[in-house]
Amino acid sequence: MRLIPLPKQILKCGRLSLDLSKPHVMGILNVTPDSFSDGGAHNEKDQAVQHALQMIEDGATVIDIGGESTRPGASPVSIEEEIRRVVPVVEALSQYDVVLSIDTSEPQVIREAVKAGAHIWNDVRALTRPHALATAAALNIPIMIMHMRGEPTTMNNLDQYDDVTLEVIVELQKRVDDALAAGVKAENIMIDPGFGFAKNAQQNLKLLQEFYKLNEMGYPILSALSRKRFIGEALNGADAQHRAVGSVAAHLMSIQQGACMVRAHDVKATHDAILMWQAMQQA
Ligand code: 8Y7
């Protein structure tokens, strides 16, 4: 653990921009019938939009819209179905002053979403699908490059590390280098160590303890810890519905170490923690 100030950087998101010297809450909007944390309660378009508006009121400046569940064992979704779920929600939300991030690995999905008004590409597969790199360069939008090994279906067997933080940095750097070589602009790159993706509980905790080391890569950092299993384990087996406070605590630890954006289900609680932290800093 080491205290790190947030970057003096403005992230251009179309007509909007984010001042990354302050922490931002990215609210999670799952538009999937099988998402584990909200039980598919928001799978209808209107419910999804309502939920997003509530998160904006609660302090989210970014909404992360996902139409494909990346949960291990989730059923795969066709590209057409992903577009059908995501695009109407983007269209409805694009009239508000909120940055729209799309959780997808499919170039076709992000292209349609951007046409409808989306701003950020959040790709847990870090631009590894066919044509993803070229699409990212052509769209010229901010890209969230996350660390994972394998696929959500295989990643649980790929958690062999000698030094988890070091290896995450090396492997993330490789994905960043591929993106830069493909023509993605450095100013559009954000990084994310991918908590829970091909990492066991102990490794996730180590990564949180050493989160500050990610700053050496020189890109803005997102932490996405919300309700993840290792938090449940730290809370003596709490289920997903009872991990909000643990998640807020973990997110704050990452912000203190340089995370300028946190991806959260529990937006109000997360935003309150950030307000408290900012108030203390300004004293
Ligand atoms: C992450 C993510 C998920 C993450 C980024 C969950 C879509 C699983 N996790 N995106 N998405 N980082 N960038 O537990 O860690 O929310 S889905």
Side-chain angles (χ1 to χ4, degrees):
M1 173 89 186
R2 190 173 296 170
L3 296 176
I4 305 280
L6 297 187
K8 295 267 165 288
Q9 189 180 327
I10 306 287
L11 189 71
K12 282 280 301 159
C13 301
R15 71 186 166 86
L16 304 172
S17 57
L18 296 175
D19 175 0
L20 301 182
S21 70
K22 298 184 181 76
H24 292 267
V25 181
M26 169 190 269
I28 299 172
L29 189 64
N30 289 314
V31 197
T32 56
D34 64 347
S35 68
F36 80 101
S37 286
D38 57 14
H42 304 288
N43 58 350
E44 300 291 333
K45 181 201 144 199
D46 290 344
Q47 276 181 290
V49 172
Q50 273 317 313
H51 183 49
L53 295 180
Q54 182 65 52
M55 291 195 288
I56 296 166
E57 194 178 308
D58 289 344
T61 47
V62 184
I63 303 291
D64 189 40
I65 305 166
E68 181 221 20
S69 180
T70 27
R71 182 171 60 96
S75 40
V77 171
S78 71
I79 295 172
E80 292 70 29
E81 175 64 10
E82 230 188 303
I83 291 172
R84 192 196 65 75
R85 290 176 184 176
V86 165
V87 165
V89 177
V90 172
E91 280 170 353
L93 292 176
S94 62
Q95 59 176 309
Y96 299 94
D97 286 340
V98 67
V99 170
L100 302 175
S101 159
I102 307 298
D103 158 22
T104 186
S105 297
E106 270 304 323
Q108 246 178 287
V109 175
I110 191 64
R111 263 191 263 114
E112 292 304 317
V114 167
K115 265 189 236 166
H119 306 102
I120 297 181
W121 186 358
N122 175 26
D123 185 4
V124 299
R125 293 180 183 81
L127 309 177
T128 54
R129 287 264 170 93
H131 312 297
L133 286 164
T135 302
L139 287 173
N140 188 24
I141 58 170
I143 313 287
M144 194 71 67
I145 296 184
M146 194 196 80
H147 177 270
M148 170 164 58
R149 286 176 174 177
E151 280 280 315
T153 46
T154 60
M155 65 185 180
N156 290 341
N157 305 316
L158 299 172
D159 59 355
Q160 285 84 38
Y161 300 87
D162 291 323
D163 181 330
V164 64
T165 310
L166 204 74
E167 286 167 64
V168 163
I169 289 172
V170 167
E171 290 167 23
L172 257 185
Q173 187 65 52
K174 168 82 176 84
R175 299 308 310 135
V176 167
D177 289 345
D178 283 1
L180 292 170
V184 173
K185 292 181 187 153
E187 71 205 45
N188 279 330
I189 291 177
M190 290 190 69
I191 54 170
D192 172 354
F195 286 101
F197 288 85
K199 290 138 195 123
N200 66 30
Q202 201 53 40
Q203 292 158 348
N204 286 308
L205 292 170
K206 194 75 190 160
L207 201 47
L208 182 56
Q209 186 183 60
E210 299 180 340
F211 192 91
Y212 67 90
K213 293 185 178 176
L214 289 157
N215 290 282
E216 73 189 35
M217 289 181 68
Y219 296 98
I221 315 169
L222 170 90
S223 73
L225 294 144
S226 199
R227 302 186 186 174
K228 290 200 169 168
R229 192 171 51 197
F230 82 101
I231 292 182
E233 288 176 27
L235 303 178
N236 300 317
D239 63 23
Q241 304 307 319
H242 297 97
R243 296 174 190 167
V245 179
S247 301
V248 168
H251 276 141
L252 200 58
M253 294 176 216
S254 71
I255 289 168
Q256 290 175 326
Q257 298 181 80
C260 57
M261 198 180 290
V262 296
R263 180 179 179 275
H265 298 89
D266 306 288
V267 171
K268 177 76 164 67
T270 310
H271 188 244
D272 279 355
I274 290 171
L275 289 177
M276 190 65 229
W277 180 73
Q278 286 177 317
M280 176 205 68
Q281 280 207 311
Q282 282 153 18

